[in-house]
Amino acid sequence: MYDKDLEFIDTLSMRAMVRRLIRAGVRFVKKEKPWEHVSMGPDVEIGAGTIIWPGIVLLGNTKIGEGCEIEEGVRLEDVDVGDSSIIRTGSRISQTRIGKECVIWGARMYNAVIKNKVVIHSGNRIVWSTIGTGSDIDSSCNIKYAYIASYCKIGPKAIIEGEKFDEEILAQGKRSVHIGRSCRIGAQTHIHDRALIKTGAELAHCEIVRSVIGAGTKAKHCSYIGDVIMGCGCNVGAGTVFGNYDGEAKYVCEVEDGS
């Protein structure tokens, strides 16, 4: 918490700020002395029609759009929330930009970019990653240093983790894991290091590392795909393992389209 936020919260200025927000159309669920049930820094901005529940903490340069709902127990620090978005109970988010019409259920996020109409379910941890428009992230996923394009569906307990570059490089948008548009990533899939998953691929219960998965390719049922360049429209059967290490060196396996 910033020192100036703490100082502000402990002064009569909080009461004046809450009253000003009410006059501007912000709705506080706690009607009686609402300033005693929220903590906000002096630079926080909230749009008209937004509903504020008790027990929230809003710090730094947090900006909340119009028609949003911030539920009980939420903590936001340097977060930009787009219009008509809902942040559910228990979310802890910092240095993140959230688009319009998103729903965030009890997630932990740091340095993330969440585009419009994204749904993020409870128990997710998202760090230095981008989630594209219309994507749906199921519960208990761990997403770090990754780019997920629009209209993807990520199943529960998936792990999507790229390489950790220096923060200066991450700030430039460089990510080592890319998941293309309209992909379906099933439960407990593990995608890490340098992986490129192209448009419309479907993966589930498998591990992908240092590989390219072509558009429309399907790989499910406990497969391991490492150091593979796989074409479009392929199908990887249950339990398939790409063995690429002979004890001294690793090799790349190439799989042609339609295999």
Side-chain angles (χ1 to χ4, degrees):
M1 182 181 292
Y2 301 119
D3 289 342
K4 69 175 182 178
D5 288 336
L6 185 60
E7 182 181 353
F8 183 83
I9 289 167
D10 289 338
T11 66
L12 294 175
S13 299
M14 173 62 72
R15 180 186 301 181
M17 180 179 182
V18 169
R19 286 175 169 170
R20 175 175 57 79
L21 290 171
I22 291 173
R23 289 195 298 271
V26 177
R27 297 164 56 193
F28 287 83
V29 172
K30 189 70 174 179
K31 301 293 186 182
E32 184 178 350
K33 298 182 179 179
W35 50 84
E36 295 182 357
H37 302 277
V38 297
S39 298
M40 295 185 293
D43 298 324
V44 170
E45 299 178 12
I46 305 175
T50 289
I51 300 171
I52 301 295
W53 286 70
I56 66 166
V57 179
L58 307 177
L59 303 174
N61 293 314
T62 292
K63 294 177 175 56
I64 300 171
E66 297 181 355
C68 297
E69 183 171 2
I70 312 299
E71 289 191 344
E72 193 169 6
V74 168
R75 179 187 174 99
L76 305 178
E77 184 172 344
D78 294 326
V79 176
D80 194 330
V81 181
D83 295 344
S84 304
S85 289
I86 301 173
I87 313 297
R88 298 291 190 193
T89 298
S91 293
R92 300 289 187 272
I93 306 172
S94 63
Q95 298 181 34
T96 290
R97 188 168 74 252
I98 298 170
K100 298 179 180 180
E101 300 179 45
C102 294
V103 181
I104 313 296
W105 297 77
R108 303 291 192 270
M109 295 194 289
Y110 171 75
N111 256 312
V113 176
I114 311 300
K115 300 295 183 66
N116 299 331
K117 298 183 179 180
V118 170
V119 177
I120 296 177
H121 296 267
S122 61
N124 282 293
R125 183 169 181 263
I126 301 175
V127 177
W128 280 106
S129 295
T130 295
I131 310 297
T133 297
S135 289
D136 188 312
I137 313 298
D138 213 323
S139 59
S140 301
C141 295
N142 190 16
I143 300 174
K144 298 168 66 178
Y145 319 119
Y147 177 88
I148 298 174
S150 302
Y151 305 107
C152 290
K153 171 65 178 177
I154 310 298
K157 297 183 179 179
I159 298 174
I160 302 172
E161 185 171 350
E163 292 181 288
K164 184 180 179 180
F165 301 123
D166 291 338
E167 287 198 4
E168 184 176 346
I169 296 175
L170 289 168
Q172 296 170 5
K174 185 176 177 59
R175 303 290 183 271
S176 66
V177 168
H178 285 246
I179 296 177
R181 183 184 176 95
S182 302
C183 286
R184 295 293 180 265
I185 309 299
Q188 300 180 358
T189 301
H190 190 176
I191 302 172
H192 57 105
D193 291 349
R194 300 178 299 280
L196 172 59
I197 315 300
K198 295 189 177 180
T199 301
E202 298 182 19
L203 310 172
H205 295 283
C206 61
E207 183 174 2
I208 313 290
V209 56
R210 298 182 304 274
S211 295
V212 176
I213 306 298
T217 286
K218 298 179 181 180
K220 303 180 180 181
H221 312 300
C222 303
S223 297
Y224 172 80
I225 301 173
D227 299 284
V228 176
I229 300 175
M230 187 172 297
C232 302
C234 298
N235 184 65
V236 180
T240 301
V241 175
F242 287 82
N244 53 13
Y245 182 58
D246 64 2
E248 295 182 357
K250 289 188 176 182
Y251 301 89
V252 175
C253 179
E254 296 185 12
V255 180
E256 293 188 359
D257 294 349
S259 297

